[in-house]
Amino acid sequence: MPRFTDQVVLITGAGSGIGRATALYFAREGAQVIVSDINESSGQQTTSFIKAEAGRASFILCDVARPEQIASLVQQVVSEYGHLDIAINNAGIGVPCRR
Ligand SMILES: NC(=O)c1ccc[n+]([C@@H]2O[C@H](COP(=O)([O-])OP(=O)(O)OC[C@H]3O[C@@H](n4cnc5c(N)ncnc54)[C@H](O)[C@@H]3O)[C@@H](O)[C@H]2O)c1
């Protein structure tokens, strides 16, 4: 029995590595996955991999270093799917060290 059937799961940095693996995991567990990344082609590729397994996924471009893009991303998800159940804030950004 899939564990996340019909849950809406947003994953940032889902174009590769941990984010992509997490996106594939949630899709296999029945979730509607929102793949987000700063890199459109790799994000779309993750979406294609999920669809090739008959999973449900869509891609939204977002740079998590830009707060207005994050706000827009969440708004788009809620507007399209009605709710957001899980957010995997995987994409990390570096900030300068203060000494
Ligand atoms: N892999 C590790 O051993 C490890 C260890 C500790 C922490 N982390 C952290 O976990 C996260 C994922 O690691 P990974 O190894 O899968 O990295 P990765 O480089 O394979 O994937 C990172 C993804 O994030 C995307 N990305 C980069 N900047 C972005 C931005 N500003 N906005 C949106 N997307 C952006 C990239 O395009 C890429 O698809 C990173 O934040 C990393 O710092 C990883």
Side-chain angles (χ1 to χ4, degrees), residues 13 15-19 37-39 62-65 90-93:
S16 73
I18 296 166
D37 204 282
I38 196 173
N39 183 320
C62 176
D63 176 356
V64 300
N90 165 71
I93 47 170

Side-chain angles (χ1 to χ4, degrees), residues 30-52:
Q32 169 68 54
V33 176
I34 317 304
V35 172
S36 184
D37 204 282
I38 196 173
N39 183 320
E40 176 152 18
S41 66
S42 62
Q44 292 284 16
Q45 193 178 40
T46 299
T47 304
S48 299
F49 287 155
I50 290 171
K51 289 181 174 170

